[in-house]
Amino acid sequence: MPTNYTNAYQRQIKNRNFLAPTGFKFILNRAPKVAFFSNAANVPGITLGETSQPTYLKEIPVPGDHMTFDDFTLRFLVDEDVKNYMEIQNWMRGLGYPETLKEIYNLQQEKKNVDMSKSNTMDIYSDGTLTVLGSSQNALFKVNFSDLWPYNLTTLQFDATDTDVNYFTAEVSFKYTIYDITDLGGTDL
């Protein structure tokens, strides 16, 4: 009998501190200026599809084999020279090349230390890492995103009637291939 109590005790949570929403830092390889001024980010939700097993009385829901990952959204303060805003806008313009094909070629050349002549794929994505901090501002774990690309960037709305100075924030939404939550050493949690 004592072993059951011992096992139950060993399975209890050791760290009783709560996770705070203010403790994080984000690194976006292709757009470091955006990451520096980031002030809100999310760990995207996931949805597991379902299928139904038919029976003569009713259909029984069972787990499916298709997962849907929500988008990753990052909010950042816009610097006065709009350098960080333009990092994302130029990335998006390169992906969509609204004026000429030269825009996507310029996007390809932005990546430093990459010999494009040896690559057979387009370099249009970026990896990113959201590091979550604990109550004492120490890193707890990482959320590693693979192949991020922006698809939505909010507007900058100027208004001369504002009486208070509210500094601009912009929000960018990303699609990605997958994300993994790991400890600081890279082992899956």
Side-chain angles (χ1 to χ4, degrees):
M1 208 46 126
T3 53
N4 288 340
Y5 291 121
T6 305
N7 288 339
Y9 177 74
Q10 290 173 345
R11 292 189 314 250
Q12 291 293 318
I13 294 174
K14 306 266 185 293
N15 183 352
R16 305 246 176 180
N17 293 326
F18 298 115
L19 188 61
T22 57
F24 75 96
K25 61 182 177 178
F26 184 68
I27 296 171
L28 182 60
N29 298 346
R30 186 179 276 278
K33 294 173 183 143
V34 169
F36 182 77
F37 285 110
S38 62
N39 61 7
N42 68 322
V43 175
I46 58 174
T47 303
L48 176 61
E50 65 178 60
T51 189
S52 294
Q53 177 182 341
T55 67
Y56 71 95
L57 295 175
K58 73 172 205 138
E59 292 191 5
I60 300 171
V62 294
D65 61 356
H66 182 76
M67 292 192 73
T68 304
F69 290 82
D70 292 346
D71 298 334
F72 173 65
T73 304
L74 181 72
R75 188 174 64 223
F76 60 96
L77 289 163
V78 178
D79 68 287
E80 192 172 57
D81 296 327
V82 295
K83 297 239 185 239
N84 56 2
Y85 187 84
M86 292 309 297
E87 274 184 327
I88 299 296
Q89 190 179 100
N90 289 336
W91 187 0
M92 291 176 70
R93 290 176 72 89
L95 292 172
Y97 47 93
E99 296 182 75
T100 67
L101 284 174
K102 188 172 188 323
E103 290 174 298
I104 196 158
Y105 300 134
N106 290 341
L107 178 67
Q108 295 289 309
Q109 298 303 322
E110 278 181 16
K111 193 85 174 200
K112 308 286 190 268
N113 303 324
V114 174
D115 184 1
M116 294 305 295
S117 64
K118 294 182 181 177
S119 175
N120 60 356
T121 60
M122 296 179 67
D123 184 28
I124 58 176
Y125 305 108
S126 178
D127 291 343
T129 303
L130 177 68
T131 303
V132 178
L133 307 176
S135 56
S136 58
Q137 298 303 304
N138 293 327
L140 295 175
F141 61 91
K142 293 181 178 185
V143 182
N144 302 304
F145 294 90
S146 296
D147 301 332
L148 288 161
W149 57 274
Y151 75 91
N152 185 38
L153 179 63
T154 58
T155 62
L156 296 179
Q157 182 69 39
F158 292 90
D159 186 354
T161 63
D162 277 347
T163 56
D164 293 331
V165 176
N166 294 316
Y167 295 104
F168 277 116
T169 59
E171 195 166 277
V172 58
S173 298
F174 292 93
K175 298 288 186 184
Y176 52 92
T177 304
I178 191 105
Y179 74 84
D180 296 303
I181 301 175
T182 66
D183 64 14
L184 301 177
T187 305
D188 289 339
L189 292 181

CSV table of all heavy atoms in Angstrom, one decimal, residues 49-97:
chain,number,residue,atom,x,y,z
A,49,GLY,N,-8.3,16.5,-35.8
A,49,GLY,CA,-9.5,16.2,-36.5
A,49,GLY,C,-10.1,14.9,-35.9
A,49,GLY,O,-9.5,14.1,-35.2
A,50,GLU,N,-11.3,14.6,-36.3
A,50,GLU,CA,-12.0,13.5,-35.8
A,50,GLU,C,-12.7,12.8,-37.0
A,50,GLU,O,-13.0,13.4,-38.0
A,50,GLU,CB,-13.0,13.8,-34.7
A,50,GLU,CG,-14.2,14.6,-35.2
A,50,GLU,CD,-15.2,14.9,-34.1
A,50,GLU,OE1,-14.8,15.5,-33.1
A,50,GLU,OE2,-16.3,14.6,-34.3
A,51,THR,N,-13.0,11.6,-36.8
A,51,THR,CA,-13.8,10.8,-37.8
A,51,THR,C,-14.9,10.1,-37.0
A,51,THR,O,-14.8,10.1,-35.8
A,51,THR,CB,-12.9,9.8,-38.6
A,51,THR,OG1,-13.7,9.3,-39.7
A,51,THR,CG2,-12.3,8.7,-37.8
A,52,SER,N,-15.8,9.5,-37.7
A,52,SER,CA,-16.9,8.8,-37.0
A,52,SER,C,-16.9,7.4,-37.3
A,52,SER,O,-16.7,7.0,-38.5
A,52,SER,CB,-18.2,9.5,-37.4
A,52,SER,OG,-18.3,10.8,-36.9
A,53,GLN,N,-17.1,6.6,-36.3
A,53,GLN,CA,-17.3,5.1,-36.5
A,53,GLN,C,-18.8,4.9,-36.5
A,53,GLN,O,-19.4,5.1,-35.5
A,53,GLN,CB,-16.6,4.4,-35.4
A,53,GLN,CG,-16.7,2.9,-35.4
A,53,GLN,CD,-16.1,2.2,-34.3
A,53,GLN,OE1,-15.3,2.8,-33.6
A,53,GLN,NE2,-16.5,1.0,-34.0
A,54,PRO,N,-19.3,4.4,-37.6
A,54,PRO,CA,-20.7,4.2,-37.7
A,54,PRO,C,-21.1,2.9,-37.0
A,54,PRO,O,-20.4,1.9,-37.0
A,54,PRO,CB,-21.0,4.0,-39.2
A,54,PRO,CG,-19.7,3.8,-39.8
A,54,PRO,CD,-18.6,4.2,-38.9
A,55,THR,N,-22.2,3.0,-36.3
A,55,THR,CA,-22.8,1.9,-35.6
A,55,THR,C,-24.3,1.9,-35.9
A,55,THR,O,-24.8,3.0,-36.4
A,55,THR,CB,-22.6,1.8,-34.1
A,55,THR,OG1,-23.3,2.9,-33.5
A,55,THR,CG2,-21.1,1.9,-33.7
A,56,TYR,N,-25.1,0.9,-35.6
A,56,TYR,CA,-26.5,0.9,-36.0
A,56,TYR,C,-27.3,1.8,-35.0
A,56,TYR,O,-28.4,2.2,-35.4
A,56,TYR,CB,-27.1,-0.5,-36.0
A,56,TYR,CG,-27.2,-1.1,-34.6
A,56,TYR,CD1,-28.4,-1.1,-33.9
A,56,TYR,CD2,-26.1,-1.8,-34.1
A,56,TYR,CE1,-28.5,-1.7,-32.7
A,56,TYR,CE2,-26.2,-2.4,-32.8
A,56,TYR,CZ,-27.4,-2.3,-32.1
A,56,TYR,OH,-27.5,-2.9,-30.9
A,57,LEU,N,-26.7,2.2,-33.9
A,57,LEU,CA,-27.4,3.1,-33.0
A,57,LEU,C,-27.0,4.6,-33.2
A,57,LEU,O,-27.9,5.4,-33.3
A,57,LEU,CB,-27.1,2.7,-31.5
A,57,LEU,CG,-27.7,1.4,-31.1
A,57,LEU,CD1,-27.2,1.0,-29.7
A,57,LEU,CD2,-29.2,1.4,-31.2
A,58,LYS,N,-25.8,4.9,-33.2
A,58,LYS,CA,-25.3,6.2,-33.4
A,58,LYS,C,-23.8,6.2,-33.9
A,58,LYS,O,-23.1,5.2,-33.7
A,58,LYS,CB,-25.4,7.1,-32.1
A,58,LYS,CG,-24.4,6.7,-31.1
A,58,LYS,CD,-24.5,7.8,-29.9
A,58,LYS,CE,-23.1,7.8,-29.2
A,58,LYS,NZ,-22.7,9.1,-28.9
A,59,GLU,N,-23.4,7.3,-34.4
A,59,GLU,CA,-22.0,7.3,-34.8
A,59,GLU,C,-21.1,7.7,-33.6
A,59,GLU,O,-21.5,8.6,-32.8
A,59,GLU,CB,-21.8,8.4,-35.9
A,59,GLU,CG,-22.4,8.0,-37.2
A,59,GLU,CD,-22.0,8.8,-38.4
A,59,GLU,OE1,-21.2,9.7,-38.2
A,59,GLU,OE2,-22.6,8.6,-39.5
A,60,ILE,N,-20.0,7.0,-33.5
A,60,ILE,CA,-19.1,7.2,-32.4
A,60,ILE,C,-17.9,8.0,-32.8
A,60,ILE,O,-17.2,7.6,-33.8
A,60,ILE,CB,-18.6,5.9,-31.7
A,60,ILE,CG1,-19.9,5.1,-31.3
A,60,ILE,CG2,-17.7,6.1,-30.6
A,60,ILE,CD1,-19.6,3.7,-30.9
A,61,PRO,N,-17.6,9.2,-32.2
A,61,PRO,CA,-16.4,9.9,-32.7
A,61,PRO,C,-15.1,9.3,-32.2
A,61,PRO,O,-15.1,8.8,-31.1
A,61,PRO,CB,-16.6,11.3,-32.0
A,61,PRO,CG,-17.5,11.1,-30.8
A,61,PRO,CD,-18.4,9.9,-31.2
A,62,VAL,N,-14.2,9.2,-33.1
A,62,VAL,CA,-12.9,8.7,-32.8
A,62,VAL,C,-11.8,9.6,-33.3
A,62,VAL,O,-12.0,10.4,-34.2
A,62,VAL,CB,-12.7,7.2,-33.4
A,62,VAL,CG1,-13.6,6.2,-32.8
A,62,VAL,CG2,-12.8,7.3,-34.9
A,63,PRO,N,-10.6,9.6,-32.7
A,63,PRO,CA,-9.5,10.5,-33.1
A,63,PRO,C,-9.2,10.3,-34.6
A,63,PRO,O,-9.1,9.2,-35.1
A,63,PRO,CB,-8.3,10.1,-32.2
A,63,PRO,CG,-8.9,9.4,-31.1
A,63,PRO,CD,-10.2,8.7,-31.6
A,64,GLY,N,-9.0,11.4,-35.3
A,64,GLY,CA,-8.6,11.4,-36.7
A,64,GLY,C,-7.1,11.3,-36.8
A,64,GLY,O,-6.4,11.2,-35.8
A,65,ASP,N,-6.6,11.5,-38.0
A,65,ASP,CA,-5.2,11.5,-38.3
A,65,ASP,C,-4.7,12.8,-38.9
A,65,ASP,O,-3.6,12.9,-39.4
A,65,ASP,CB,-4.8,10.3,-39.2
A,65,ASP,CG,-5.5,10.4,-40.5
A,65,ASP,OD1,-6.3,11.3,-40.7
A,65,ASP,OD2,-5.2,9.5,-41.3
A,66,HIS,N,-5.5,13.9,-38.8
A,66,HIS,CA,-5.2,15.1,-39.4
A,66,HIS,C,-5.2,16.2,-38.4
A,66,HIS,O,-6.2,16.4,-37.7
A,66,HIS,CB,-6.1,15.5,-40.6
A,66,HIS,CG,-5.8,16.8,-41.3
A,66,HIS,ND1,-4.8,16.9,-42.2
A,66,HIS,CD2,-6.3,18.0,-41.2
A,66,HIS,CE1,-4.7,18.1,-42.6
A,66,HIS,NE2,-5.6,18.8,-42.0
A,67,MET,N,-4.0,16.9,-38.2
A,67,MET,CA,-3.9,18.0,-37.2
A,67,MET,C,-3.9,19.3,-37.9
A,67,MET,O,-3.3,19.5,-39.0
A,67,MET,CB,-2.7,17.8,-36.4
A,67,MET,CG,-2.7,16.6,-35.5
A,67,MET,SD,-1.4,16.7,-34.2
A,67,MET,CE,-2.0,17.9,-33.2
A,68,THR,N,-4.5,20.3,-37.3
A,68,THR,CA,-4.5,21.7,-37.8
A,68,THR,C,-3.8,22.5,-36.8
A,68,THR,O,-4.2,22.5,-35.6
A,68,THR,CB,-5.9,22.2,-38.1
A,68,THR,OG1,-6.6,21.3,-38.9
A,68,THR,CG2,-5.9,23.6,-38.6
A,69,PHE,N,-2.8,23.3,-37.2
A,69,PHE,CA,-2.1,24.2,-36.3
A,69,PHE,C,-2.6,25.6,-36.6
A,69,PHE,O,-2.6,26.1,-37.7
A,69,PHE,CB,-0.6,24.1,-36.6
A,69,PHE,CG,0.1,22.8,-36.2
A,69,PHE,CD1,0.0,21.7,-37.0
A,69,PHE,CD2,0.7,22.7,-35.0
A,69,PHE,CE1,0.6,20.5,-36.7
A,69,PHE,CE2,1.3,21.5,-34.6
A,69,PHE,CZ,1.2,20.4,-35.4
A,70,ASP,N,-2.9,26.3,-35.5
A,70,ASP,CA,-3.3,27.7,-35.6
A,70,ASP,C,-2.1,28.5,-36.0
A,70,ASP,O,-0.9,28.1,-35.9
A,70,ASP,CB,-3.8,28.3,-34.3
A,70,ASP,CG,-5.1,27.6,-33.9
A,70,ASP,OD1,-5.8,27.0,-34.7
A,70,ASP,OD2,-5.5,27.8,-32.7
A,71,ASP,N,-2.3,29.8,-36.5
A,71,ASP,CA,-1.3,30.6,-36.9
A,71,ASP,C,-0.5,31.2,-35.7
A,71,ASP,O,-1.0,31.3,-34.6
A,71,ASP,CB,-1.8,31.8,-37.7
A,71,ASP,CG,-2.6,31.3,-39.0
A,71,ASP,OD1,-2.2,30.3,-39.5
A,71,ASP,OD2,-3.5,32.1,-39.4
A,72,PHE,N,0.8,31.5,-36.0
A,72,PHE,CA,1.6,32.2,-35.0
A,72,PHE,C,1.5,33.7,-35.3
A,72,PHE,O,1.6,34.2,-36.4
A,72,PHE,CB,3.1,31.7,-35.2
A,72,PHE,CG,4.0,32.5,-34.3
A,72,PHE,CD1,4.0,32.4,-32.9
A,72,PHE,CD2,5.0,33.3,-34.9
A,72,PHE,CE1,4.8,33.1,-32.1
A,72,PHE,CE2,5.9,34.1,-34.1
A,72,PHE,CZ,5.8,34.0,-32.7
A,73,THR,N,1.2,34.4,-34.2
A,73,THR,CA,1.0,35.9,-34.3
A,73,THR,C,2.0,36.5,-33.4
A,73,THR,O,2.2,36.1,-32.2
A,73,THR,CB,-0.4,36.2,-33.9
A,73,THR,OG1,-1.3,35.5,-34.7
A,73,THR,CG2,-0.7,37.7,-34.1
A,74,LEU,N,2.6,37.6,-33.9
A,74,LEU,CA,3.6,38.4,-33.2
A,74,LEU,C,3.3,39.8,-33.2
A,74,LEU,O,3.0,40.4,-34.3
A,74,LEU,CB,5.0,38.1,-33.8
A,74,LEU,CG,6.2,38.8,-33.1
A,74,LEU,CD1,6.5,38.2,-31.7
A,74,LEU,CD2,7.4,38.8,-34.0
A,75,ARG,N,3.2,40.5,-32.1
A,75,ARG,CA,3.0,41.9,-32.0
A,75,ARG,C,4.3,42.6,-31.6
A,75,ARG,O,5.0,42.1,-30.8
A,75,ARG,CB,1.9,42.3,-31.0
A,75,ARG,CG,1.5,43.8,-31.1
A,75,ARG,CD,0.3,44.1,-30.3
A,75,ARG,NE,0.6,43.9,-28.9
A,75,ARG,CZ,-0.1,43.3,-28.0
A,75,ARG,NH1,-1.3,42.8,-28.3
A,75,ARG,NH2,0.2,43.2,-26.7
A,76,PHE,N,4.6,43.7,-32.3
A,76,PHE,CA,5.9,44.4,-32.0
A,76,PHE,C,5.7,45.9,-32.1
A,76,PHE,O,4.8,46.4,-32.8
A,76,PHE,CB,7.0,43.9,-33.0
A,76,PHE,CG,6.7,44.2,-34.4
A,76,PHE,CD1,7.1,45.4,-35.1
A,76,PHE,CD2,5.9,43.3,-35.2
A,76,PHE,CE1,6.9,45.6,-36.4
A,76,PHE,CE2,5.6,43.6,-36.5
A,76,PHE,CZ,6.1,44.7,-37.1
A,77,LEU,N,6.5,46.6,-31.3
A,77,LEU,CA,6.5,48.1,-31.4
A,77,LEU,C,7.3,48.5,-32.7
A,77,LEU,O,8.3,47.9,-33.0
A,77,LEU,CB,7.3,48.6,-30.2
A,77,LEU,CG,6.5,48.5,-28.8
A,77,LEU,CD1,7.5,48.7,-27.7
A,77,LEU,CD2,5.4,49.5,-28.8
A,78,VAL,N,6.7,49.5,-33.3
A,78,VAL,CA,7.4,49.9,-34.6
A,78,VAL,C,8.4,51.0,-34.3
A,78,VAL,O,8.0,52.0,-33.6
A,78,VAL,CB,6.3,50.4,-35.6
A,78,VAL,CG1,6.9,50.9,-36.9
A,78,VAL,CG2,5.2,49.4,-35.8
A,79,ASP,N,9.6,50.8,-34.8
A,79,ASP,CA,10.6,51.8,-34.5
A,79,ASP,C,10.4,53.1,-35.4
A,79,ASP,O,9.7,53.0,-36.4
A,79,ASP,CB,12.0,51.3,-34.8
A,79,ASP,CG,12.3,50.9,-36.2
A,79,ASP,OD1,11.7,49.9,-36.7
A,79,ASP,OD2,13.0,51.7,-36.9
A,80,GLU,N,10.9,54.2,-35.0
A,80,GLU,CA,10.7,55.5,-35.6
A,80,GLU,C,11.1,55.5,-37.1
A,80,GLU,O,10.5,56.2,-37.9
A,80,GLU,CB,11.4,56.6,-34.9
A,80,GLU,CG,11.0,58.0,-35.3
A,80,GLU,CD,11.6,59.0,-34.4
A,80,GLU,OE1,12.8,59.1,-34.3
A,80,GLU,OE2,10.8,59.8,-33.8
A,81,ASP,N,12.1,54.7,-37.5
A,81,ASP,CA,12.5,54.6,-38.9
A,81,ASP,C,11.8,53.6,-39.6
A,81,ASP,O,12.2,53.3,-40.8
A,81,ASP,CB,14.0,54.4,-38.9
A,81,ASP,CG,14.8,55.5,-38.3
A,81,ASP,OD1,14.4,56.7,-38.4
A,81,ASP,OD2,15.9,55.3,-37.7
A,82,VAL,N,10.8,52.9,-39.1
A,82,VAL,CA,10.0,51.8,-39.6
A,82,VAL,C,10.9,50.7,-40.2
A,82,VAL,O,10.5,50.0,-41.1
A,82,VAL,CB,8.9,52.3,-40.6
A,82,VAL,CG1,7.9,53.1,-39.9
A,82,VAL,CG2,9.5,52.9,-41.8
A,83,LYS,N,12.1,50.5,-39.7
A,83,LYS,CA,13.0,49.4,-40.2
A,83,LYS,C,12.4,48.1,-39.9
A,83,LYS,O,12.4,47.2,-40.8
A,83,LYS,CB,14.3,49.6,-39.5
A,83,LYS,CG,15.0,50.9,-39.9
A,83,LYS,CD,16.3,50.6,-40.6
A,83,LYS,CE,17.1,51.9,-40.8
A,83,LYS,NZ,17.3,52.1,-42.2
A,84,ASN,N,11.9,47.9,-38.7
A,84,ASN,CA,11.3,46.5,-38.4
A,84,ASN,C,10.0,46.3,-39.1
A,84,ASN,O,9.8,45.2,-39.6
A,84,ASN,CB,11.2,46.3,-36.9
A,84,ASN,CG,10.3,47.3,-36.2
A,84,ASN,OD1,9.8,48.2,-36.8
A,84,ASN,ND2,10.2,47.2,-34.9
A,85,TYR,N,9.2,47.3,-39.3
A,85,TYR,CA,8.0,47.1,-40.1
A,85,TYR,C,8.3,46.8,-41.5
A,85,TYR,O,7.7,45.9,-42.2
A,85,TYR,CB,7.1,48.4,-40.0
A,85,TYR,CG,5.8,48.3,-40.6
A,85,TYR,CD1,4.7,47.8,-39.9
A,85,TYR,CD2,5.6,48.8,-41.9
A,85,TYR,CE1,3.4,47.7,-40.5
A,85,TYR,CE2,4.3,48.7,-42.5
A,85,TYR,CZ,3.2,48.2,-41.8
A,85,TYR,OH,2.0,48.1,-42.3
A,86,MET,N,9.3,47.4,-42.1
A,86,MET,CA,9.7,47.2,-43.5
A,86,MET,C,10.4,45.8,-43.7
A,86,MET,O,10.3,45.3,-44.8
A,86,MET,CB,10.6,48.3,-44.0
A,86,MET,CG,9.9,49.6,-44.1
A,86,MET,SD,8.3,49.6,-45.1
A,86,MET,CE,8.9,49.1,-46.7
A,87,GLU,N,11.0,45.3,-42.6
A,87,GLU,CA,11.5,43.9,-42.7
A,87,GLU,C,10.4,42.9,-43.1
A,87,GLU,O,10.6,42.1,-44.0
A,87,GLU,CB,12.1,43.4,-41.4
A,87,GLU,CG,13.5,43.8,-41.2
A,87,GLU,CD,14.1,43.3,-39.9
A,87,GLU,OE1,13.3,43.1,-38.9
A,87,GLU,OE2,15.3,43.0,-39.8
A,88,ILE,N,9.3,43.1,-42.4
A,88,ILE,CA,8.2,42.2,-42.7
A,88,ILE,C,7.5,42.5,-44.1
A,88,ILE,O,7.2,41.7,-44.9
A,88,ILE,CB,7.1,42.2,-41.6
A,88,ILE,CG1,7.8,41.7,-40.3
A,88,ILE,CG2,5.9,41.4,-42.0
A,88,ILE,CD1,8.2,40.3,-40.3
A,89,GLN,N,7.3,43.8,-44.3
A,89,GLN,CA,6.6,44.2,-45.5
A,89,GLN,C,7.5,43.8,-46.8
A,89,GLN,O,6.9,43.3,-47.7
A,89,GLN,CB,6.4,45.7,-45.6
A,89,GLN,CG,5.5,46.1,-46.8
A,89,GLN,CD,5.2,47.5,-46.9
A,89,GLN,OE1,5.8,48.2,-47.6
A,89,GLN,NE2,4.2,48.0,-46.1
A,90,ASN,N,8.8,44.0,-46.7
A,90,ASN,CA,9.6,43.6,-47.8
A,90,ASN,C,9.6,42.1,-48.0
A,90,ASN,O,9.7,41.6,-49.2
A,90,ASN,CB,11.0,44.2,-47.7
A,90,ASN,CG,11.1,45.7,-47.8
A,90,ASN,OD1,10.2,46.3,-48.5
A,90,ASN,ND2,12.1,46.3,-47.2
A,91,TRP,N,9.6,41.4,-46.9
A,91,TRP,CA,9.5,39.9,-47.0
A,91,TRP,C,8.2,39.5,-47.7
A,91,TRP,O,8.3,38.7,-48.6
A,91,TRP,CB,9.6,39.4,-45.6
A,91,TRP,CG,9.7,37.9,-45.5
A,91,TRP,CD1,9.7,36.9,-46.5
A,91,TRP,CD2,9.8,37.2,-44.2
A,91,TRP,NE1,9.8,35.7,-45.9
A,91,TRP,CE2,9.9,35.8,-44.6
A,91,TRP,CE3,9.8,37.5,-42.9
A,91,TRP,CZ2,10.0,34.8,-43.6
A,91,TRP,CZ3,9.9,36.6,-41.9
A,91,TRP,CH2,10.0,35.2,-42.3
A,92,MET,N,7.1,40.1,-47.3
A,92,MET,CA,5.9,39.8,-47.9
A,92,MET,C,5.8,40.2,-49.4
A,92,MET,O,5.3,39.5,-50.3
A,92,MET,CB,4.7,40.4,-47.2
A,92,MET,CG,4.5,39.8,-45.8
A,92,MET,SD,3.3,40.6,-44.8
A,92,MET,CE,1.8,40.2,-45.7
A,93,ARG,N,6.4,41.4,-49.7
A,93,ARG,CA,6.4,41.9,-51.1
A,93,ARG,C,7.3,40.9,-51.9
A,93,ARG,O,7.0,40.7,-53.1
A,93,ARG,CB,6.9,43.3,-51.2
A,93,ARG,CG,5.9,44.3,-50.6
A,93,ARG,CD,6.5,45.7,-50.6
A,93,ARG,NE,6.6,46.2,-51.9
A,93,ARG,CZ,5.7,46.9,-52.5
A,93,ARG,NH1,4.5,47.1,-51.9
A,93,ARG,NH2,5.8,47.4,-53.7
A,94,GLY,N,8.4,40.4,-51.4
A,94,GLY,CA,9.2,39.5,-52.1
A,94,GLY,C,8.4,38.2,-52.4
A,94,GLY,O,8.6,37.6,-53.4
A,95,LEU,N,7.6,37.7,-51.4
A,95,LEU,CA,6.9,36.5,-51.6
A,95,LEU,C,5.8,36.7,-52.7
A,95,LEU,O,5.5,35.8,-53.5
A,95,LEU,CB,6.2,36.1,-50.3
A,95,LEU,CG,7.1,35.6,-49.2
A,95,LEU,CD1,6.4,35.4,-47.9
A,95,LEU,CD2,7.8,34.3,-49.6
A,96,GLY,N,5.2,37.9,-52.7
A,96,GLY,CA,4.0,38.1,-53.6
A,96,GLY,C,4.4,38.8,-54.9
A,96,GLY,O,3.7,38.9,-55.8
A,97,TYR,N,5.7,39.4,-54.9
A,97,TYR,CA,6.2,40.2,-56.0
A,97,TYR,C,5.1,41.0,-56.8
A,97,TYR,O,4.8,40.7,-57.9
A,97,TYR,CB,7.1,39.4,-57.0
A,97,TYR,CG,6.6,38.0,-57.4
A,97,TYR,CD1,5.9,37.9,-58.6
A,97,TYR,CD2,6.8,36.9,-56.7
A,97,TYR,CE1,5.4,36.7,-59.0
A,97,TYR,CE2,6.4,35.7,-57.1
A,97,TYR,CZ,5.7,35.5,-58.3
A,97,TYR,OH,5.2,34.3,-58.7
